[in-house]
Amino acid sequence: MTSGFRPFDHDGTYEFFSMARREAPVFYNEETDYWVVTKREDVLSVFKDPERFSASNVLDSLEGYPEELTRFLTDNGFTVEPVQSNTDRPRHTRIRQSAGQFLNPRRYREYEPRIRALVREYVNGLRGKDEADIVAELTHEMPARVVFMLLGVDDVDPLMIKRWALNRATMIWGKPTRQEMIDAGHELNDFFHFCKEIVEDRKWAPRDDYPSKLLELRGGDDSVLTENEIVCLVFALLLAGHEAVTNGLTISILTLLENRGTWEELVADPALIPRAIEEVLRHSTPVMTWRRRALEDVELSGVTIPAGGKVLLSLASANHDEGQYERPSDFDIHRPDARGHLSFGYGIHVCMGAPLARIEMKIVLEELINAFPGMELVKGQRPAWTKTMAHRGPQSLLVRLGGSDHG
């Protein structure tokens, strides 16, 4: 049965996991060398147990770097080290405490007017068109520009950053060829040195931004943060801060337009948008999987995962677990417990950017619904999903914009 698991092809994934939860809730997958965990209760127990499950492999490359690439990165001063999602306590606690001084809900709310102005800039660019690819014209680029706000960067091509981040994601969660891996690694080196330059600049010309705040907290004290850790935190934000949001935005528009009655509900009452966002995150999970490593033999659903075993947590499956949700495959924004989804993780590593992602999704949906209440999907298209084990989002999404401002 478990031979039906296709980690890099997201068509049919929910149907497969529905069967897996019944017949093999924990199973070993030879293709990836991971133990796959499908039930919500088991996924939650792993997130809650950092003593027995290490986060150290979260950003490991599935394929491993070719020796030529490792040598190139070393020779070029590529000193990326674990700083957040792939660290364990006490290091994780120390670094997260500093990062949280800037990456927090209060700070994100301060950016809301600028984010709305940015979204309106993109929405205004759609006016007068009959059809548009919502990915190319809004959701691909916009989240990267929000990250630029946090970093105090305003003179960089967001498409370059998107390309760097997608390369990085493919190296971590995808199956690139040897040459693709080497080419992506060369760009990765450029990406890292770009981050290094930002931090170097803020040492001499601090601003009201994330790298400046980290340098201020460091105060020259390596026991708080090292300079390389700060560079790596900037590097991590430029990777994690927008790729998942791009997928979340695109998949929310797709899901709502596929469920036309819900779209009409939101047009009539935009106050329902936050509920709709939580149900999108549960029903159409943008980050499908996350990872851990077992530090000792652990039993889950009657299966023993051996010490050292690599664990793949299916967030998408957990979010469709019949033990938690009635009719989980139904999209229902009035579901009372939608916010119990695990799309942002749980416990000590819960996503620090979750409040910002929610703000971005809310603003985009508000602005699109207001500008194009009659928007609908172009018929006959079939989404081409991103080809990584973690991210799920359409690479393009054609819509008919239909109609003008609402109200």
Side-chain angles (χ1 to χ4, degrees):
M1 188 282 296
T2 56
S3 61
F5 180 52
R6 299 195 305 276
F8 306 99
D9 177 4
H10 300 307
D11 279 329
T13 195
Y14 285 103
E15 293 80 0
F16 168 80
F17 278 121
S18 176
M19 186 167 55
R21 285 191 300 276
R22 288 194 309 273
E23 298 180 18
V26 177
F27 64 89
Y28 176 72
N29 175 246
E30 286 188 4
E31 181 183 1
T32 58
D33 187 28
Y34 272 81
W35 294 85
V36 184
V37 179
T38 67
K39 292 182 74 72
R40 184 180 189 277
E41 185 181 352
D42 288 336
V43 171
L44 202 51
S45 72
V46 173
F47 276 137
K48 287 177 171 178
D49 194 356
E51 300 299 326
R52 294 197 299 168
F53 290 96
S54 168
S56 60
N57 64 332
V58 163
L59 300 180
D60 284 1
S61 164
L62 285 173
E63 299 292 302
Y65 289 1
E67 187 184 337
E68 174 188 337
L69 175 56
T70 303
R71 194 165 54 247
F72 167 81
L73 292 173
T74 302
D75 291 347
N76 282 273
F78 182 81
T79 53
V80 166
E81 59 181 312
V83 284
Q84 252 178 332
S85 61
N86 57 340
T87 53
D88 294 325
R89 296 184 294 194
R91 177 182 172 85
H92 172 264
T93 307
R94 170 177 61 81
I95 294 176
R96 187 176 174 109
Q97 281 174 346
S98 289
Q101 298 285 307
F102 190 94
L103 302 180
N104 59 61
R106 181 186 59 77
R107 178 74 70 159
Y108 297 145
R109 282 193 295 272
E110 293 174 7
Y111 284 93
E112 275 197 56
R114 290 175 63 190
I115 295 171
R116 190 172 295 277
L118 176 65
V119 172
R120 282 186 178 162
E121 181 187 316
Y122 282 94
V123 169
N124 287 338
L126 295 169
R127 294 182 190 279
K129 297 183 179 183
D130 293 325
E131 284 189 11
D133 177 357
I134 212 77
V135 177
E137 303 208 39
L138 172 64
T139 63
H140 181 65
E141 189 180 285
M142 188 279 295
R145 291 180 64 187
V146 172
V147 172
F148 291 173
M149 290 180 195
L150 304 181
L151 294 175
V153 172
D154 52 17
D155 57 350
V156 179
D157 176 7
L159 294 179
M160 179 180 73
I161 298 296
K162 293 298 289 190
R163 190 181 75 244
W164 282 348
L166 189 57
N167 279 340
R168 175 77 165 141
T170 303
M171 290 174 79
I172 295 169
W173 292 293
K175 289 192 81 175
T177 65
R178 183 177 183 280
Q179 192 56 50
E180 286 170 343
M181 182 77 97
I182 289 169
D183 292 345
H186 281 250
E187 290 215 334
L188 195 65
N189 182 62
D190 294 338
F191 189 174
F192 179 71
H193 287 285
F194 167 75
C195 297
K196 213 167 180 174
E197 286 168 17
I198 292 174
V199 174
E200 190 63 29
D201 175 78
R202 299 308 186 271
K203 281 162 65 178
W204 310 111
R207 308 180 191 180
D208 183 18
D209 59 25
Y210 184 46
S212 300
K213 181 65 175 178
L214 293 174
L215 285 163
E216 176 196 325
L217 291 167
R218 164 176 150 73
D221 184 351
D222 283 354
S223 70
V224 178
L225 286 172
T226 68
E227 201 170 300
N228 192 63
E229 284 171 343
I230 292 174
V231 174
C232 293
L233 284 166
V234 170
F235 181 80
L237 182 61
L238 268 174
L239 168 67
H242 54 87
E243 209 49 49
V245 179
T246 284
N247 290 320
L249 288 171
T250 312
I251 219 162
S252 66
I253 296 163
L254 170 63
T255 304
L256 288 166
L257 292 179
E258 283 179 334
N259 293 273
R260 188 74 207 177
T262 303
W263 177 270
E264 300 292 352
E265 269 192 271
L266 300 187
V267 170
D269 184 5
L272 290 171
I273 286 174
R275 296 187 70 115
I277 289 168
E278 299 307 324
E279 178 66 349
V280 165
L281 290 167
R282 183 204 69 81
H283 176 273
S284 307
T285 311
V287 178
M288 302 285 281
T289 61
W290 212 239
R291 292 188 274 179
R292 289 291 185 266
R293 187 190 306 278
L295 296 173
E296 58 186 70
D297 290 0
V298 185
E299 186 178 305
L300 294 173
S301 285
V303 175
T304 299
I305 297 173
K310 296 183 290 185
V311 181
L312 189 69
L313 303 172
S314 176
L315 308 184
S317 179
N319 288 342
H320 276 234
D321 193 328
E322 298 80 0
Q324 174 74 12
Y325 299 107
E326 284 186 40
R327 300 182 311 280
S329 58
D330 290 359
F331 182 73
D332 177 9
I333 66 169
H334 301 290
R335 190 181 291 279
D337 52 355
R339 201 176 167 116
H341 63 75
L342 300 179
S343 297
F344 293 118
Y346 190 91
I348 66 169
H349 283 90
V350 70
C351 177
M352 297 184 81
L356 181 61
R358 288 183 166 106
I359 287 170
E360 291 179 64
M361 291 174 78
K362 176 174 177 284
I363 289 172
V364 166
L365 290 176
E366 285 173 350
E367 294 297 326
L368 283 176
I369 278 168
N370 186 57
F372 308 109
M375 189 163 78
E376 58 188 14
L377 294 173
V378 170
K379 290 184 171 55
Q381 62 182 312
R382 190 171 173 204
W385 305 108
T386 44
K387 291 283 186 186
T388 79
M389 194 167 68
H391 298 106
R392 180 176 186 260
Q395 294 175 349
S396 68
L397 186 65
L398 302 176
V399 296
R400 293 187 61 81
L401 293 166
S404 55
D405 284 24
H406 174 67

